[in-house]
């Protein structure tokens, strides 16, 4: 039991939310670099010349020649076990993107400081807010010309209706960006660039009156920085950590992911400000993550991950207890018992059997065709989760079967995709006995997936 508690307490499970091109993929890679995971031979291996890209992380894999998981990256840092969940379909927004946010305990919101808050960031933020999870903000691309920085902070507060506290503040902007000042420790972190940001940026830490800090900045930038710091400090209240943990305040960090500026401070802040797994609501009341019996829910189904096997993987967020290989659980929706022999960590196209997992972790179950989005798997049949909300559809399409002779396989295939939660089916009031089905989705990509899978 003490073991279980300690394992749960050291878990940190989060996702990165952003609008395409703000730098999510770059920041993911840099968090891995600073977390030491890029050197973890075996889990992240060199893979070059991959051409297909089925998720954003496969894009990362393709671009950088490293293999990363398509759903969750797990690494140990400073005694903590970090699970970084991919928000799939980042560029092709879909309901899957929202659902992943039901499986995390915190989020990092990446904003391009040249652009401010963009539409997709706002939508994803709303889902996080509904869940009341802490959100850390990373203001990215400070090495380029940005919008007025105080205005960006105001924009977070007014557009998202959340208090924003700048934990650090940039020293110089654009070509003159040299580092960030940590307002909580009152130290300046001055960085040096490395070629293509391939290595950690060498850093020098000192007070702002230190000559080395003054020398690193041109006089204009230094004065501007001091002036803005004065405005921030005059604005009052310090950082309210308790409010941040409730999602009422977002701590804001500045940096440049591509140059590795400010990444270490963000990673350290994640350990400090992102909480371990919290109790979750179930039909049997609040369920503590360190309760003995195992339980979790399916938040994502991925079909045909391996074209050679035409299989499907149900991704389960563990919410309580300990998972061990061959564990027997009840599948709440059908009441059937299953032995979970096929639990995997999925690394791109590679798989590794999972021997054990704790609340906060994600396990990939291969081949259980009964399992659908939102389903509960548990050792305690009284526990049923209701974690996956319905998201308002924004796109609609009609689907019909061009080949009446194949009615049965068409109906069966569509039913399977509906069960997987790829799209939703709506029945129009005036449908009569029409043979077309009205499909509804959050993003148009979902329709393409349906068409592709049915063909
Ligand atoms: P995304 O996953 O959110 O879509 O963004 P991604 O990381 O792919 O970054 C989008 C573009 O922004 C990339 O440029 C990336 O290099 C650039 N970028 C990310 N962080 C920074 C930063 O701190 N400063 C600057 N100046 N650029 C940044 P690209 O031209 O699309 O790709 P690449 O050829 O650079 O790889």
């Amino acid at each position: 039991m003490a073991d279980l508690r300690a394992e749960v307490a050291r878990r940190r499970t989060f996702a990165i939310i952003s609008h395409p091109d703000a730098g999510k993929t770059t920041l993911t890679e840099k968090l891995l670099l600073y977390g030491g995971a890029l050197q973890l031979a075996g889990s992240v291996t060199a893979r070059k010349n991959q051409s297909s890209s089925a998720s954003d992380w496969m894009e990362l894999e393709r671009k950088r020649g490293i293999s990363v998981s398509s759903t969750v990256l797990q690494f140990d840092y400073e005694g903590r076990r970090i699970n970084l969940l991919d928000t799939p379909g980042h560029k092709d927004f879909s309901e899957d993107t929202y659902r992943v946010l039901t499986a995390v305990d915190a989020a990092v919101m990446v904003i391009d400081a040249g652009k401010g808050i963009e539409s997709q960031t706002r939508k994803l933020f709303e889902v996080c807010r509904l869940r009341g999870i802490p959100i850390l903000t990373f203001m990215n691309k400070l090495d380029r010309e940005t919008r007025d920085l105080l205005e960006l902070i105001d924009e977070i507060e007014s557009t998202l209706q959340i208090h924003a506290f700048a934990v650090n503040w940039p020293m110089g902007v654009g070509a003159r960006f040299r580092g960030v000042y940590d307002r909580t420790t009152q130290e300046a972190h001055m960085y040096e660039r490395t070629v293509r940001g391939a290595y950690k940026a060498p850093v020098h830490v000192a007070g702002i009156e230190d000559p080395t800090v003054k020398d690193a900045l041109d006089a204009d930038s230094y004065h501007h920085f001091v002036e803005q710091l004065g405005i921030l400090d005059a604005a009052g209240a310090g950082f309210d950590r308790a409010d941040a943990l409730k999602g009422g305040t977002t701590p804001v960090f500045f940096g440049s992911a591509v140059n590795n500026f400010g990444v270490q401070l963000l990673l350290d802040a994640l350990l400090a400000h992102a909480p371990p797994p919290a109790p979750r609501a179930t039909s049997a009341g609040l369920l503590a993550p360190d309760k003995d019996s195992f339980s979790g829910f399916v938040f994502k189904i991925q079909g045909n991950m391996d074209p050679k096997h035409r299989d499907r993987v149900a991704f389960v967020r563990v919410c309580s207890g300990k998972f061990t290989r061959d564990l027997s659980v009840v599948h709440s929706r059908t009441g059937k018992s299953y032995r979970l022999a096929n639990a995997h960590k999925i690394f791109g196209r590679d798989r590794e059997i999972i021997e054990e997992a704790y609340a906060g972790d994600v396990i990939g179950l291969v081949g259980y065709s009964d399992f659908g989005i939102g389903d509960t798997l548990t050792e305690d049949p009284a526990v049923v989760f209701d974690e996956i909300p319905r998201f308002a559809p924004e796109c609609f399409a009609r689907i019909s079967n061009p080949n009446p002779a194949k009615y049965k396989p068409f109906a069966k295939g569509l039913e399977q995709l509906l069960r997987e939660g790829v799209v939703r089916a709506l029945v129009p009031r005036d449908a009569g006995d029409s043979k077309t089905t009205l499909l509804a989705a959050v993003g148009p990509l979902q329709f393409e997936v349906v068409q592709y899978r049915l063909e």
Side-chain angles (χ1 to χ4, degrees), residues 111 113-117 139 146-159 164 169 224 228 231-232 254:
I111 295 175
K115 295 187 174 156
I117 293 169
M139 238 3 131
T146 66
R147 285 179 38 195
D148 181 85
L149 301 175
L150 291 169
E151 222 177 85
L152 286 170
I153 297 283
D154 274 351
E155 186 183 63
I156 296 179
E157 299 206 321
S158 59
T159 314
W169 198 255
H224 189 60
Q228 292 202 316
I231 296 174
L232 284 174
F254 289 83

Side-chain angles (χ1 to χ4, degrees), residues 351-396:
R351 287 165 190 191
E352 185 186 301
I353 290 275
I354 291 182
E355 298 294 339
E356 57 179 52
Y358 297 87
D361 292 340
V362 169
I363 54 179
L365 300 171
V366 180
Y368 298 86
S369 57
D370 267 353
F371 299 175
I373 296 277
D375 288 359
T376 301
L377 300 172
T378 177
E379 283 185 290
D380 175 0
V383 168
V384 180
F385 295 100
D386 184 14
E387 290 281 5
I388 309 278
R390 283 271 166 124
F391 300 100
E394 293 182 19
C395 310
F396 301 89

Side-chain angles (χ1 to χ4, degrees), residues 199-243:
Y199 303 99
K200 291 185 189 179
V203 59
H204 172 68
V205 182
I208 43 171
E209 294 298 335
D210 194 284
T212 54
V213 171
K214 285 187 167 168
D215 287 351
L217 283 179
D218 59 286
D220 273 0
S221 296
Y222 187 79
H223 283 124
H224 189 60
F225 160 73
V226 172
E227 190 182 77
Q228 292 202 316
L229 197 61
I231 296 174
L232 284 174
D233 289 346
F239 177 51
D240 183 345
R241 183 165 184 268
D243 195 48

Side-chain angles (χ1 to χ4, degrees), residues 44-94:
V44 181
T45 51
R47 273 168 168 268
K48 295 231 160 63
N49 306 322
Q50 299 281 357
S51 57
S52 67
S53 78
S55 81
D56 297 314
W57 285 2
M58 286 187 191
E59 178 67 15
L60 171 66
E61 176 179 321
R62 191 181 65 73
K63 274 200 201 158
R64 313 280 190 249
I66 55 169
S67 167
V68 294
S69 153
S70 54
T71 293
V72 58
L73 282 165
Q74 191 178 63
F75 59 95
D76 285 336
Y77 177 72
E78 303 272 313
R80 300 278 157 74
R81 175 144 302 177
I82 301 195
N83 292 304
L84 171 52
L85 272 60
D86 189 20
T87 41
H90 173 57
K91 291 207 162 64
D92 302 293
F93 202 53
S94 76

Side-chain angles (χ1 to χ4, degrees), residues 54-297:
S55 81
D56 297 314
W57 285 2
M58 286 187 191
E59 178 67 15
L60 171 66
E61 176 179 321
R62 191 181 65 73
K63 274 200 201 158
R64 313 280 190 249
I66 55 169
S67 167
V68 294
S69 153
S70 54
T71 293
V72 58
L73 282 165
Q74 191 178 63
F75 59 95
D76 285 336
Y77 177 72
E78 303 272 313
R80 300 278 157 74
R81 175 144 302 177
I82 301 195
N83 292 304
L84 171 52
L85 272 60
D86 189 20
T87 41
H90 173 57
K91 291 207 162 64
D92 302 293
F93 202 53
S94 76
E95 203 155 346
D96 269 1
T97 323
Y98 286 147
R99 288 182 188 134
V100 162
L101 299 177
T102 65
V104 299
D105 304 314
V108 171
M109 172 166 74
V110 182
I111 295 175
D112 179 336
K115 295 187 174 156
I117 293 169
E118 297 172 87
S119 60
Q120 202 153 306
T121 318
R122 189 174 315 158
K123 289 181 187 172
L124 292 164
F125 171 86
E126 287 303 335
V127 179
C128 295
R129 189 218 303 274
L130 281 176
R131 297 201 50 237
I133 59 172
I135 299 160
L136 287 79
T137 299
F138 187 71
M139 238 3 131
N140 193 26
K141 306 197 186 182
L142 265 290
D143 59 313
R144 284 197 190 158
E145 287 314 310
T146 66
R147 285 179 38 195
D148 181 85
L149 301 175
L150 291 169
E151 222 177 85
L152 286 170
I153 297 283
D154 274 351
E155 186 183 63
I156 296 179
E157 299 206 321
S158 59
T159 314
L160 304 180
Q161 299 291 310
I162 186 173
H163 184 60
F165 181 85
V167 173
N168 59 36
W169 198 255
M171 305 190 73
V173 167
R176 299 189 280 186
F177 180 43
R178 295 286 177 271
V180 294
Y181 173 71
D182 186 331
R183 295 176 66 212
T184 56
T185 60
Q186 304 190 335
E187 285 169 330
H189 294 240
M190 311 304 285
Y191 302 99
E192 283 170 43
R193 296 189 185 203
T194 61
V195 181
R196 280 176 279 113
Y199 303 99
K200 291 185 189 179
V203 59
H204 172 68
V205 182
I208 43 171
E209 294 298 335
D210 194 284
T212 54
V213 171
K214 285 187 167 168
D215 287 351
L217 283 179
D218 59 286
D220 273 0
S221 296
Y222 187 79
H223 283 124
H224 189 60
F225 160 73
V226 172
E227 190 182 77
Q228 292 202 316
L229 197 61
I231 296 174
L232 284 174
D233 289 346
F239 177 51
D240 183 345
R241 183 165 184 268
D243 195 48
L245 281 172
K246 285 189 296 197
T249 294
T250 179
V252 182
F253 301 83
F254 289 83
S256 165
V258 89
N259 292 299
N260 303 333
F261 287 22
V263 174
Q264 177 87 59
L265 289 171
L266 177 71
L267 182 58
D268 290 342
L270 258 172
L271 300 193
H273 306 309
R280 290 208 173 222
T282 76
S283 56
L286 272 188
L287 175 71
D290 52 9
K291 191 177 172 207
D292 272 342
S293 53
F294 166 87
S295 62
F297 68 92

